[in-house]
Amino acid sequence: MSTRSDVNDENSGEGIMHPRPSSIVAALYTLRDLETDVVIIHGPPGCCFKHSRLLEEDGIRVVTTAMDEANFVFGGREVLKNVMMRSIELFHPKLLGVVGTCASMIIGEDIHQAVEEVRPHCPVIEVEIHAGHHDNTYGAIVTLEAAVEAGVLDAAECARQKRLLLEATELEKFAGVASREYIAPSRGDVKYSVATELIILIKEGKRGIIVLNAKKETAYQFADIVAALVEVSQDVGMGRPITMANLDVGVGLPRLRNHARNILDDLEKSGIRIDHLTGGLDEYPITGQVAGKLIREYYSDYDFVVLLGVPHAVPMKSLEGIKIFSVTNGPRQVLPLKELGHDFVVVEIDLHPKTLGVEHIVPSELGNTLRALNRGS
Amino acid sequence: MRMQSGNKKHIGIYGKGGIGKSSTASNVAAACAETGSTVMLIGCDPKSDTSITLLRGRRIPTILDLMRLGKDIKEEDVVFEGYAGVKCVEVGGPEPGIGCAGRGIIVAIQVLRKVTDAMNTSDLVIYDVPGDIVCGGFAVPIRKGLVDEAYILTSGEYMPLYAANNICKGLNKLGAPLGGVICNSREATNEEAITRRFAEGLGSKLIAFIPKVKIVQDCERAGLSVIEGCPRSKIAEIYRELANDIMGNWESKIPEPLDDEELRAILLQYE
């Protein structure tokens, strides 16, 4: 059980108004990271529909108990048991997850009892979660704790991830989507203009730093921008930019280590070497600080920096006097980044879906724009 | 919008669990129907036994049972004529400890409004709502404008009075008028005076004092209301008077709940 209460402040309606990631979805992605084969969502048929489909692209089976009005009134234990038994028959999972929703949790559904009655042959991660939590990371934390309880995650790794999730939460409150009452979505600066600006700087022989600080699998596309920038620099012949990336293959869950390995391999094939590994792919809330420290110590006289992924994780005080280019996949991240003082902010729209179910670097719009402009000039 | 159409009455009976809401509701329904008025009795308790004494002990299918079976529900499936033509309906609900009875009331009332017009055409519609108004679902008859006035049943004991006062907090919040307080006696000391003071404290009145008599339980055991089973008894007469008073009562007010100290003071005053 979680020792952290998420119900410490009364919601007076004076908080954040824009819709934001849900705790249930955070639980689903965490189960995927834990390499759960099948996840059963115990809730209405449409709950988490979009993310379920995306996750299925990523190789995990997501099914729903499709609770209806009668299940709300009379409870849905039998339905859950049936879906659990059918899923086991169909998919033969080695690890099963059951996730609550607003509907099943409000009526007090007992997930554990249903699992006890079905007695699956494999371990089951039972996640009692609904979407009524202000920080979506709460869903991930509850899932990690449930995984420890199910005996499929060791306590030290759980503790490490919980620390990171709390850091991530603070980061979002400081300069992310949780930093303001309402943030209108924005497409950021025009990629053509930003790519032009970057190519001018490279041609002028200005010295650049590229920081890949990406959240998990999103690195598959942000890494393409690293590649494009290095390619352009080599092509121009004005020296190579410094590269930093949170692609350490020695930390985190096996799945994430594989992603880091895949991306490093792809970069290496293009002749690109990362100068500084800042940490693992799940360490983005803290690896920004590592990058910042490196910049302050060794590269403070550089001319420009390109921050890819979670740009606000790199402290502003380490970037003084350096022109900042940021690339995010969050349309609501543009305004906070501009207000922090980032000179250019680019949005790679719908990036996340393109990075699910892949094992190689995925082309990005900014990367392709850089390459095309460079070829044209 | 609360529609008081002509002299039709739509009332809800509230009060602590076990205080006698169903007995009172069914006896009032029977008494009123006897005079030739059209009456409908809607039981909102998952136990589904509000109307059992109007149906000679027979249990009728509940709206939620049929819904659960995925049946296409028609009026004749859920509205049953009982003693003196009282139209009886049971909402039904889940087993204790499972699902959500409040949601059940919401859904069942939606179904009921679709399949029958009896709620609009009857002279008296009584909603028998379980316990305190513990969640939004139980407030639906009031919120949806189905109930024009509430009646609260209590004895002179502290706990039922406390529950009654809590219900008044709910009514106050919902802006629902209270028609009056009915004392269903448990033979507590100074019971009538206490419940009268309580009712007045709320800005309402004690509309009836129902003494504790064995006839009521005996008739219930036989699956009958006292109106049917013991029509000449004194208690039957009391229910008839209550039915008459409810039909002629146009002085409902939104209650002002008491605070705990005021409530205790009323009890202590009569010790």
Side-chain angles (χ1 to χ4, degrees), chain B residues 84-193:
Chain B
V86 175
K87 289 187 161 73
C88 302
V89 173
E90 292 291 345
V91 159
E95 299 287 309
I98 299 172
C100 179
R103 182 70 202 162
I105 296 175
I106 298 170
V107 178
I109 297 286
Q110 279 170 0
V111 170
L112 192 59
R113 289 176 103 175
K114 255 188 242 161
V115 302
T116 178
D117 199 31
M119 286 128 98
N120 299 320
T121 55
S122 300
D123 298 316
L124 174 66
V125 182
I126 305 175
Y127 293 84
D128 176 21
V129 186
D132 302 1
I133 313 171
V134 289
C135 79
F138 293 82
V140 157
I142 301 175
R143 272 205 333 247
K144 299 271 181 192
L146 299 168
V147 165
D148 301 317
E149 60 194 23
Y151 287 85
I152 295 182
L153 209 63
T154 183
S155 69
E157 298 156 300
Y158 176 69
M159 293 313 276
L161 280 169
Y162 183 82
N165 193 47
N166 254 346
I167 292 162
C168 286
K169 288 180 188 166
L171 296 175
N172 183 285
K173 201 156 204 166
L174 294 160
L178 179 63
V181 173
I182 301 164
C183 177
N184 201 29
S185 174
R186 298 284 200 102
E187 291 171 355
T189 317
N190 294 315
E191 198 162 31
E192 190 166 356

Side-chain angles (χ1 to χ4, degrees), chain A residues 69-75 77 107-109, chain B residues 64 67-68 93-94 98-100 103-104 107:
Chain A
E69 194 81 90
N71 300 141
F72 297 162
V73 175
F74 292 100
R77 190 192 297 171
I107 69 164
E109 199 80 305
Chain B
L64 290 171
M67 193 194 83
R68 191 181 195 180
I98 299 172
C100 179
R103 182 70 202 162
V107 178

Side-chain angles (χ1 to χ4, degrees), chain A residues 67-108:
Chain A
M67 285 179 85
D68 61 14
E69 194 81 90
N71 300 141
F72 297 162
V73 175
F74 292 100
R77 190 192 297 171
E78 289 307 311
V79 184
L80 174 57
K81 281 165 62 182
N82 288 339
V83 171
M84 212 185 297
M85 289 187 282
R86 189 76 187 115
S87 300
I88 292 165
E89 265 172 41
L90 279 177
F91 308 118
H92 315 291
K94 289 190 196 66
L95 179 58
L96 190 65
V98 181
V99 177
T101 59
C102 300
S104 56
M105 293 297 100
I106 289 171
I107 69 164

